Amino acid sequence: MKKLFILLAVAAVALTACNNKLTVEQAEAAVIQGEKERLPLLLQNMVFVDDITIDSIHLNVTEEPMQGFLYTTWKSGKSSEPIIVQVDSIRSDANRKDYVQWQSHWDDAARAYFMKSLGL
């Protein structure tokens, strides 16, 4: 009886773990929301940019850890430039339920924008 209980408990844990798999839609929504909330902090450190809008996201790896790109528009004065921001290491956090973590590369995007604005 004790072995049956342990077997059922292990099976329940395994099934629960399988059901918590991060979907592409969940990952996209979490990244876009998190990055939109982060934009004011980014903008205050980029004196050469007036505004950044996140237009869309595309994930080209759809299994954890996922990765993809944020398609953005950077504005300064009357000019605007499309800039792609790499996003990788998108995964659900093993220690926090319903928490998604990722790494975005805004520094590379800022360099690309600066180079484009100089005409290089």
Side-chain angles (χ1 to χ4, degrees), residues 39 43 49-56 70-76 79-85 106 113:
L39 276 177
L43 283 169
V49 179
D50 295 328
D51 192 27
I52 299 172
T53 57
I54 297 174
D55 303 317
S56 63
L70 288 173
Y71 293 91
T72 65
T73 302
W74 297 42
K75 297 173 186 157
S76 181
S79 67
S80 65
E81 289 286 340
I83 300 291
I84 299 171
V85 180
W106 287 96
Y113 174 79

Side-chain angles (χ1 to χ4, degrees), residues 30-75:
V31 170
I32 286 178
Q33 179 185 351
E35 293 299 340
K36 282 184 177 180
E37 290 173 359
R38 185 176 168 205
L39 276 177
L41 181 61
L42 289 169
L43 283 169
Q44 80 178 9
N45 293 318
M46 295 183 190
V47 294
F48 52 89
V49 179
D50 295 328
D51 192 27
I52 299 172
T53 57
I54 297 174
D55 303 317
S56 63
I57 187 171
H58 172 73
L59 298 182
N60 58 346
V61 176
T62 57
E63 295 291 326
E64 290 187 58
M66 298 177 192
Q67 69 179 18
F69 305 98
L70 288 173
Y71 293 91
T72 65
T73 302
W74 297 42
K75 297 173 186 157

Side-chain angles (χ1 to χ4, degrees), residues 1 3-4 19 30 33 59 75 79 90 99 111 115 117:
M1 185 65 152
K3 289 181 183 179
L4 179 62
N19 290 337
Q33 179 185 351
L59 298 182
K75 297 173 186 157
S79 67
I90 306 167
Y99 185 83
R111 278 192 291 281
M115 299 300 276
S117 66

